[in-house]
Amino acid sequence: MTRRRIGIAATLGALGLVASGLVAPAGTPAAHAEARACTEGQTRFVPDAPPALARLGATQSWPLATGKGVVVAIVDSGVSANNIHFPRGSVLPGKSFVGGAATTDENGHGTALAGIIAARDIGEKSGVIGVAKDSQILPVKITGGEGGDEEQQRSANLAKGIAYAVSAGADVINLSLSTTSNRPDVRAAIASAVRAGIVVVASGGNREQAAETKDGLRFPAGYSGVIGVAASGPNDVVSENSIRGPQVDLAAPGDNVITTFRSWGDCVFSEAQQSSSYATAYVSGAAALLRQAFPKATSADITYRLEATASRGSRTVRDNVSGWGVVQPYEAMTAVLDNSVAGPVAPGAAPRVTSPPKVSTIDLTPARDPRAPDRAAVQWLLLGVAATVLGLAMARMLRKPTES
């Protein structure tokens, strides 16, 4: 196989994947730079832990849940199940709608998402490990292969892929894709998944990969019951590359993503631009943790926990940039929530009635000074004394004899 380096303009971009690693991020030892490169046919490992794990408090969450027993469907380009991070049983056979096996991945997008969610720890040589590290991946391959138009494949197979994930018993469905098209077949498939109690997580959209770059509603994130995700960078700031709109419910890290690279170990992706594809996978991993922690919870309950506990500046307000804020799985598992908690309304609770603020007027009329007459009398007295002194002085000067 001819080795070639994956660049920003590679075919991975069609699904929102931006592969990098040619330049190591600041603070990374120079010796690690080569290991971070994405080179086909060359197995390399990145010893650095994915920065998002620390931001999301994943290690703090693992004593409570690791995703064990939870199935996460990745409706995408397939998953390279022969990557060392996926031992036998961690990736299910799944189904391909484009020929070949779902456990193969020609462009790497689905494998990168699978690593974010469920990569297993392989020891000190690699820092890559999934948010829900014991969950199982169900690959649903709707695009990829050696031929065919990927956009057309996604449009033709998305609804069928979602329907298969529902029938196969998925607990979480990850959809790292977006479109402005409101397709009836996809809408119906999403509704079926939501009715089945599945947590559905979808990308809010990436500007640089979108045919329509303006902000606005994107699907399937815009459908009812779906968690729409934006990509955040350093300091939890959502990138300009992330599409803004009413479909955004949460944000998650989307840059400097260290994850699985097809069959060849690890790679660093999305160094130049935050990608909501990866952010979506982080939220899916968080949802898998909650699904294990609360096995009897509805999908609406899990969504509410993720949204109510997200990190944000204002506890009471969502916006079209980051939704309810950056996902925090540990807080979502440990918080005691009811309808009195600021933020989204709990499932089944009555909408909050916000009373109009009481308006009161302030009298700015100056108050009467009770000592004003006394102060006026003193002022006149002082003026009188001053005038008297001045008059006596002038009279004395006039009486003074002229010197000869």
Side-chain angles (χ1 to χ4, degrees), residues 16-18 206 209 231 241 253-255 270 273-280:
L17 182 65
V18 181
N206 293 325
Q209 277 95 30
N241 188 47
D255 66 342
S270 199
Q273 282 278 19
Q274 289 86 6
S275 172
S276 62
S277 286
Y278 308 126
T280 301

Side-chain angles (χ1 to χ4, degrees), residues 137-213:
I137 295 298
L138 177 69
V140 184
K141 190 171 183 175
I142 63 167
T143 186
E146 297 299 330
D149 182 275
E150 291 186 335
E151 183 63 38
Q152 290 181 357
Q153 288 177 335
R154 286 197 301 277
S155 297
N157 298 321
L158 179 56
K160 291 184 287 186
I162 295 169
Y164 168 75
V166 174
S167 66
D171 299 296
V172 178
I173 296 178
N174 184 92
L175 302 171
S176 288
L177 45 86
S178 68
T179 177
T180 55
S181 299
N182 183 357
R183 291 176 57 102
D185 58 341
V186 176
R187 183 171 63 251
I190 290 290
S192 174
V194 173
R195 285 195 303 270
I198 300 171
V199 181
V200 184
V201 188
S203 165
N206 293 325
R207 207 176 303 279
E208 69 175 13
Q209 277 95 30
E212 172 55 74
T213 60

Side-chain angles (χ1 to χ4, degrees), residues 68-92:
K68 188 174 180 63
V70 178
V71 175
V72 181
I74 297 180
V75 183
D76 210 273
S77 63
V79 174
S80 294
N82 59 351
N83 188 295
I84 193 174
H85 287 283
F86 303 126
R88 184 181 297 274
S90 59
V91 178
L92 300 172

Side-chain angles (χ1 to χ4, degrees), residues 337-400:
L337 300 176
D338 56 36
N339 198 38
S340 66
V341 176
V345 177
R352 294 187 181 91
V353 177
T354 304
S355 301
K358 294 182 179 180
V359 178
S360 58
T361 59
I362 300 175
D363 185 3
L364 298 179
T365 304
R368 179 178 177 278
D369 184 356
R371 303 295 299 275
D374 295 337
R375 289 193 179 92
V378 170
Q379 289 175 350
W380 283 111
L381 177 62
L382 292 175
L383 287 173
V385 171
T388 301
V389 172
L390 180 61
L392 292 173
M394 293 181 64
R396 184 176 181 181
M397 290 176 62
L398 293 172
R399 290 198 303 268
K400 186 177 181 180

Side-chain angles (χ1 to χ4, degrees), residues 283-311:
V283 173
S284 291
L289 296 179
L290 266 70
R291 173 51 72 201
Q292 180 193 355
F294 303 99
K296 296 183 179 180
T298 66
S299 58
D301 291 333
I302 289 175
T303 298
Y304 170 66
R305 281 191 164 273
L306 292 171
E307 293 177 351
T309 58
S311 175

